[in-house]
Structure formats: C-alpha cells, structure tokens
Amino acid sequence: MNIKILSRNASLFSTDALVQAAVKRKHNVQVIDPLNCDIVIEKKKPEIYYRGKKLDHVDAVIPRIGSSITFYGTAVVRQFEMMNVFTTIQSQALVDSRDKLRSLQILSKAGLGLPKTVFTNYSKDVSEVISHVGGAPLIIKLLEGTQGLGVVLAETKTAAESVLEAFNGLQARVIVQEYVKEAKGADIRVLIVDGQVVGAMKRQGKEGEFRSNLHRGGSASIIELSEEEENAAIKAAKALKLGVAGVDMLQSERGPLILEVNSSPGLEGIQIATGKDIAKSIIRFIERSV
C-alpha cells in the first residue's frame, strides 16, 4: 500500500517508528509536512499537491498533527477524506479531541467518569467557581495547553483566586478541575488502536511535581489494567470516534476518571515502558481497514 504520514518532523521517534513499521510490512511510505500541502477544491475533483507534486494513488494517511497546526492539519486530513483515502484519525474526531471542553462534554454524555470540572465566561465570582469543584486544592488548565504546559495546582483558596483572576484579566480560557488526592501525582496512559487496548503504562510525576507528563521528568512503568479501566479507555476512544487514541486517566476511589483523550499520542514512552510495538499495531489497523 501507499501510506502517507502527516508529520512536520520525520526524525521524531513516533514518526520514525511508524515509517519503520510500514517498511517492515512491505508498504510504500512517505512523511509529508501538512503545512507544505496545497488543497485544491473543485466540483467532484478534490486534489492535494505536496511541494508542487500532485498526490494520487494514496491508500491511507496517518495524521500526526501537532496542536499548533490543528486548523490547517485538519483541513488536509479532511481533503484526503474527500479523496476517499482511509485515515487512522478522522478530521472531525481530531477537532473534537483538541477542544478540551468539547471532548469533556462528549465523554460526560457517554457516561464516563471525569474529575468534576467547571468552565465559565471569565466569571468575576471566582469563589463560587472554586466551591463548585469542592474547594482547594484544585487544578486550573488552559484550554490550549499541551504536555503539561498551562496546568497549575492551586493548593489554597487564596492561591486559586489569584490565579483565576490573573487568567481572567488576560482573557485566557481555562477550566477548573477537582484535585484527586488519592492519585498521588500519577496517571495512566492507555493506547487504543481500532477499539482495542494495545498498551498501557502508569506515569508518575517526579518528586514535588503533580504533573506526570514524561516531558516534565515523569517516569513510566507497565501496568495491568483492571477491567473497569480497560472498558473506560475503550469507551472514551469510541465516544470521540478515534481510531488511534491515547487515553489519560486517574485512579480514584470512585473508579477511573478520564482526564484527556489524545489524538496524536507519543509512542516512545509507552513502547519503552511496555516493550510493545505500537507502531506495528497502527500499520496493521490500516491493513485491516483498506
């Protein structure tokens, strides 16, 4: 098959792992930068040109769209869909997963456990917002934040009020979430491919750090999921209609709580932690689907 990987950097671990997995399974594969694609829209004749050359005879695409290029990257994925090319991540699912507020609303409707979350239109009554999530300590997240950036732990009510007032003054959109104490600075990342769990790891924040992201110095280890955790992860990916997803959740006294569902999950940490070839699972997903 002829597979295109939409990525801005061919040397990234995840992109390179997908290339290697495709080559091993005898596919033609090319990494293309979505920002260098030109979209041609014409009646019943959608086309994409990459660096001046028309892309045709494409069987499948694997979107690895960074959050900073979501708008244009999604447009490129949508154009491939119009050309009847299979994509591991559908364009609308990509849009929904990138919108933290919308994705939480979709997950809530699907009946999944979530940390209690509040979103307001720059409310001046920050005390009421704080009380809605059970008071301090609490978590404040920028809607556009990624990899742990733009996430603040406010340990006291006074600190929470100060941070919220500052963000409101800057007209920065934030959500406020309850702090799940029993998680102890750890979360679980579950990789879902085609509705199946293909890997899971527990991420622990470094000492003194409440964020467990590996980019922020956290550590990872393989974990065996409970049936409830496995079902929650699968259901979350299905609710957002993601063929490939990284589902982040907390272990709590009331069961698994979904934090976020990532449509372009990094493969390096989880492949090292689990010893599993996640990239191969994604290529096999394409083979089954095309």
Side-chain angles (χ1 to χ4, degrees):
M1 283 190 291
N2 188 8
I3 300 171
K4 306 296 185 187
I5 301 173
L6 305 180
S7 173
R8 298 220 63 209
N9 187 348
S11 65
L12 290 175
F13 180 96
S14 299
T15 303
D16 184 61
L18 289 163
V19 170
Q20 298 304 321
V23 169
K24 282 180 183 177
R25 297 188 67 80
K26 312 299 183 187
H27 299 298
N28 294 317
V29 60
Q30 180 187 13
V31 178
I32 63 175
D33 183 345
L35 294 190
N36 288 330
C37 290
D38 296 328
I39 296 170
V40 179
I41 302 170
E42 188 179 350
K43 182 180 179 181
K44 294 186 178 181
K45 193 184 175 185
E47 295 176 333
I48 294 179
Y49 286 79
Y50 181 62
R51 292 177 174 167
K53 185 179 179 181
K54 182 180 175 182
L55 293 179
D56 50 17
H57 308 297
V58 179
D59 296 301
V61 295
I62 305 174
R64 299 288 307 175
I65 306 297
S67 59
S68 62
I69 63 162
T70 297
F71 176 78
Y72 197 80
T74 302
V76 172
V77 175
R78 190 180 303 115
Q79 188 78 352
F80 275 115
E81 289 172 342
M82 291 172 64
M83 293 161 60
N84 296 317
V85 175
F86 174 78
T87 173
T88 56
I89 305 291
Q90 294 181 356
S91 57
Q92 189 56 51
L94 180 57
V95 170
D96 290 343
S97 67
R98 283 287 158 78
D99 185 331
K100 281 191 175 73
L101 182 62
R102 177 168 172 76
S103 63
L104 287 173
Q105 290 172 321
I106 292 170
L107 295 170
S108 173
K109 185 178 180 181
L112 286 150
L114 304 165
K116 192 167 185 180
T117 304
V118 176
F119 176 72
T120 70
N121 189 39
Y122 310 122
S123 172
K124 288 185 168 51
D125 193 352
V126 293
S127 293
E128 185 178 357
V129 172
I130 292 167
S131 67
H132 279 316
V133 296
L138 54 78
I139 305 292
I140 301 169
K141 295 181 180 179
L142 279 171
L143 281 180
E144 291 81 19
T146 60
Q147 297 180 349
L149 296 171
V151 182
V152 178
L153 169 62
E155 298 195 31
T156 66
K157 183 181 179 184
T158 302
E161 288 174 344
S162 297
V163 173
L164 282 171
E165 287 168 356
F167 277 135
N168 287 347
L170 294 169
Q171 291 202 323
R173 296 284 188 187
V174 298
I175 55 175
V176 181
Q177 287 186 327
E178 66 172 306
Y179 177 66
V180 182
K181 186 178 180 181
E182 61 266 29
K184 298 178 181 177
D187 72 3
I188 296 172
R189 162 63 64 91
V190 185
L191 249 293
I192 304 291
V193 177
D194 193 21
Q196 300 293 321
V197 173
V198 295
M201 64 178 174
K202 187 169 187 175
R203 304 182 298 188
Q204 179 69 55
K206 63 182 180 180
E207 193 170 344
E209 174 61 75
F210 72 96
R211 294 167 293 186
S212 60
N213 305 72
L214 301 185
H215 292 86
R216 312 212 65 78
S219 59
S221 58
I222 192 169
I223 185 175
E224 186 172 338
L225 299 175
S226 68
E227 187 175 350
E228 188 180 14
E229 288 163 349
E230 185 171 330
N231 289 338
I234 292 170
K235 191 174 179 181
K238 185 178 180 181
L240 286 165
K241 300 179 181 177
L242 289 168
V244 177
V247 181
D248 297 340
M249 63 176 76
L250 296 177
Q251 293 175 308
S252 80
E253 293 171 351
R254 59 184 192 269
L257 304 177
I258 307 295
L259 285 173
E260 187 176 1
V261 182
N262 194 319
S263 54
S264 292
L267 303 183
E268 183 174 12
I270 197 160
Q271 290 202 165
I272 292 172
T274 64
K276 295 182 178 180
D277 191 344
I278 309 295
K280 179 181 176 182
S281 297
I282 294 172
I283 299 302
R284 293 189 67 184
F285 169 37
I286 293 173
E287 292 169 350
R288 291 192 301 272
S289 303
V290 176

